[in-house]
Amino acid sequence: MDFTNSWDRPTAPKPRSRPASRISRRQALRNLGQAGAAAWLTRCAGPQPPRPNILLVMTDDQTAAQMSCAGHPLLQTPSIDRLAAEGVRFSEAFCTNSLCAPGRASALTGCYSHVHGIRGNSEGRDSTERLDPSLPTLPKLLRQAGYKTALMGKWHLPQEPEGFDEWSILPGQGVYFDPEFILNGQRTRQRGYATDITTDFALDFLRQNRGQPFCLFYQHKAPHRPFTPAPRHAKLFDDIEWPYPETYNDDYATREIAEQAEDMRFEISLEGDYGDLPPNLDPEEKRNWIFQRFVKDHHRAVYGVDENLGHILDFLDISGLAEDTVVLYTSDNGYFMGEHGWYDKRFMYEPSLRIPLVLRYPRLVEPNRVEPRMALNIDIAPTLLDLARLPIPEQMQGRSLRAVLQGDPPADWRQTAFYSYYENSWALAGLGAEARSDPSFQYFTPHRIGPHRGVRTTRHKLIEYYGEGNYWELFDLQQDPHELVNLYGQPGLQDLTAQLTQQLRGLQKQYGENG
Ligand SMILES: [Ca+2]
């Protein structure tokens, strides 16, 4: 292990040169036209490739928009872009419960929160939650099949990792600088920046295990709050004013729950994070200062992730592993970056619901494609098992994306996505409807967001806030992509509402979710 990490280490400490053949191949991929794609398909129809290595890259609170391959106007993510250019980017990928620990548990198990047991962040009153140990998980199954398995970085589940031969994890949320890590059960202080250290652990594992099938969970704390970049990136974007989202000054008209969600407003909840907040600012100046700072730091932290991902991809190239390694890039949940005047996640609204999802596997997947079919975080485990040619356990509720990745999606591929957020659901216990509908009733911190569930189709979204007086929202995402006009209860929409409600109840039944 290299313990010499410095916060200000040079941006390219790993070998960056590659054999000429790797460069030629990537260039060839970029130049693939229709004829090239046909040749690719012919190649994919050949003999079965060797069993692939698995590299799961998971960030924390990164939005689907925070990638230059997704059209971000300011942030440059050349490493994620490489994966997208050499693989498939899912443009409609969603989490199923927009929160850290539940998202991680869903990726491990292929199950919804109410099945794997982690509904909240396992903190405070939710601290008794445990991942159901009887469930099959991706690392356990791969390990049983002979893979060497490892987990490096953020874990955030309330019990020790299982199914991994090696693990080096941040305790809980972890910290960015000189963090404590738990190495196979032993606590040890590391020197440096968490994103760099996590990468060094990952590279060490790859160097030592390149000769056998491996599965590496490479999971970053970044860009989670307090959104702290490496000092070498701290000045990025300093010379620009970050553009304000269209919904920055949302008045929450027609959305009562959103109006009540004051703790989601960054000027209310983030002021304490910034000791260098200038004095004597008026409220609007203060609000804008905090927005500029938090949104820039968040993107700077993603910059560090992308830079480090580049070192990992370079290593796969240099080692000759790239062709036979499935690389899946995602985040545990989406995030509000000032939309609706908010930070954080939780709500089923689009910025929080959407996650980045990019997969590269040169042996089977045609490069440079954007896939618009719906993918969910519960699809990750079944997909990676399927690509490893292992059976998918019945308990997994997601579906393998393999056929979708190969451009031959099943005719019955999902047209609806089910979402359910629970944190604070314990606050409902023992409270009748009368108490919950009392205007003075509030869910507890953090964020005071009550439990809700919903269905998203390719055009509409119906949300049921069942903990707050049976409040509903209906959005037409085609006419109202920013979800500003709640159509629920409007004349002429009874049939649509009934259809979506039926779909929601059908999905609850399908997944066994009863609140
Ligand atoms: Ca998260």
Side-chain angles (χ1 to χ4, degrees), residues 59-62 99-101 104 154 224 331-334 345:
T59 52
D60 194 321
D61 291 0
Q62 182 181 355
L99 209 54
C100 303
R104 287 154 195 279
K154 185 173 173 182
H224 191 274
S331 174
D332 57 352
N333 50 261
K345 50 259 184 181

Side-chain angles (χ1 to χ4, degrees), residues 126-205:
D126 288 327
S127 62
T128 56
E129 290 186 338
R130 293 289 181 273
L131 186 71
D132 182 347
S134 71
L135 283 179
T137 69
L138 176 63
K140 283 182 185 173
L141 294 169
L142 289 171
R143 192 183 192 195
Q144 286 167 15
Y147 276 74
K148 185 76 177 286
T149 56
L151 162 68
M152 305 299 173
K154 185 173 173 182
W155 170 241
H156 199 191
L157 294 184
Q159 59 236 75
E160 279 197 349
E162 288 185 25
F164 298 100
D165 294 299
E166 298 177 19
W167 45 277
S168 300
I169 59 169
L170 292 157
Q173 293 279 11
V175 297
Y176 279 105
F177 293 116
D178 292 345
E180 192 173 48
F181 266 74
I182 309 175
L183 278 64
N184 304 315
Q186 297 297 314
R187 287 182 179 252
T188 171
R189 180 76 58 185
Q190 304 293 308
R191 174 164 162 69
Y193 181 61
T195 305
D196 300 336
I197 296 166
T198 299
T199 303
D200 285 344
F201 280 127
L203 285 169
D204 273 0
F205 173 81

